[in-house]
């Protein structure tokens, strides 16, 4: 029996009416291996750069490699084996990097991670809007990243992101096949409070 779109999202029950793009975004691992075009990636980065940031400092930086390009093996090689197993079929990999200090005065920028997180979500939603899938990863070799990505100490890697065309679940390594579905969420009552946490 084939899984319908409604079956796929059945575990994601809404409590209130919000735009469907939020409930429908998820992080598949099955990707087809087709390379993204530079233009497709530019549309995704265009969405990301309009994110809000403290003092409009725009601390995010995006370092990409398109599948099959000269930089592909270096970025893919940064990923832990468990992520390489499926992310090798992404159309592109993006390192989401943030600048830890303000450019105007060199002082620590306390919200650089928060700001870069906003930009990543814009990327994910733009990718979805284009019929693509995206999947963030913390499972990469942190100690190798600065050299491979050409980063000074002013920068931190927030996550690596795989973006690609949807693929076939049956072609994933077996242990990932059963996890290949949108995950549920905590109820609002557990995460929203009036006035005080409690
Ligand atoms: C910062 C970050 C790091 C993550 N690291 C990994 C990872 O290394 N490997 C992986 O398979 N998924 C990773 N994920 C995906 C999460 O497990 C996934 O987003 C979460 O389970 C919620 O599922 P959803 O994105 O499908 O809604 C990461 C997600 C985020 C936001």
């Amino acid at each position: 029996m084939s899984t319908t779109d409604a079956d796929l999202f059945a575990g994601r029950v809404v409590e209130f009416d919000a735009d469907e793009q939020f409930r429908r975004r998820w992080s598949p691992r099955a990707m087809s291996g087709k390379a993204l075009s530079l233009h497709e990636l530019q549309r995704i980065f265009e969405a990301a750069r309009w994110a809000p940031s403290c003092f409009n400092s725009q601390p995010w930086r995006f370092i990409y490699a398109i599948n099959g390009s000269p930089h592909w093996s270096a970025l893919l090689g940064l990923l832990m084996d468990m992520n390489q197993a499926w992310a090798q079929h992404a159309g592109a990999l993006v390192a989401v990097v943030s600048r830890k200090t303000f450019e105007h005065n060199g002082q620590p920028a306390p919200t650089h991670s928060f700001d870069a997180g906003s930009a990543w979500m814009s990327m994910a939603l733009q990718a979805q809007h284009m019929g693509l899938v995206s999947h963030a990863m913390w499972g990469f070799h942190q100690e190798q990243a600065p050299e491979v990505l050409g980063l000074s100490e002013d920068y931190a890697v927030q996550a690596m992101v795989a973006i690609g065309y949807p693929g076939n679940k049956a072609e994933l390594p077996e242990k990932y096949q059963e996890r290949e579905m949108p995950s549920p969420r905590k109820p609002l009552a557990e995460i929203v409070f009036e006035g005080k946490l409690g």
Side-chain angles (χ1 to χ4, degrees), residues 49-130:
R49 80 186 176 103
W50 296 107
S53 59
C54 187
F55 295 126
N56 197 20
S57 56
Q58 304 164 62
W60 43 73
R61 304 288 185 271
F62 308 105
I63 302 173
Y64 71 87
I66 293 175
N67 195 335
S69 76
H71 297 289
W72 174 254
S73 60
L75 265 71
L76 185 65
L78 271 183
L79 300 180
M80 302 275 190
D81 289 349
M82 63 170 192
N83 285 327
Q84 277 194 40
W86 55 268
Q88 63 180 299
H89 302 298
L93 290 171
V94 179
V96 178
V97 170
S98 60
R99 190 180 158 106
K100 298 188 282 182
T101 52
F102 288 120
E103 286 173 271
H104 66 276
N105 62 9
Q107 292 300 304
T111 66
H112 67 94
S113 299
F114 187 82
D115 299 341
S118 307
W120 134 248
M121 188 59 173
S122 298
M123 286 175 64
L125 293 174
Q126 176 64 24
Q128 169 170 267
H129 178 71
M130 293 163 62

Side-chain angles (χ1 to χ4, degrees), residues 12 22-29 79-80 82-83 86 120 134-140 158-161 176 179 181-185:
R12 290 197 157 177
F22 301 107
R23 188 177 75 106
R24 287 183 164 266
R25 185 220 53 83
W26 66 292
S27 303
R29 292 187 176 85
L79 300 180
M80 302 275 190
M82 63 170 192
N83 285 327
W86 55 268
W120 134 248
S134 66
H135 196 134
M137 295 164 283
W138 181 242
F140 63 92
Q158 297 297 334
M160 302 277 299
V161 178
Y176 291 127
R179 292 158 62 180
M181 64 175 66
S183 50
R185 287 297 187 268

Side-chain angles (χ1 to χ4, degrees), residues 158-176:
Q158 297 297 334
M160 302 277 299
V161 178
I163 307 174
Y165 283 87
N168 187 350
K169 173 177 164 176
E171 287 170 22
L172 278 175
E174 211 161 298
K175 69 171 175 176
Y176 291 127

Side-chain angles (χ1 to χ4, degrees), residues 1-12 23-24 181-182:
M1 209 170 72
S2 70
T3 308
T4 65
D5 191 61
D7 290 340
L8 187 63
F9 289 97
R12 290 197 157 177
R23 188 177 75 106
R24 287 183 164 266
M181 64 175 66

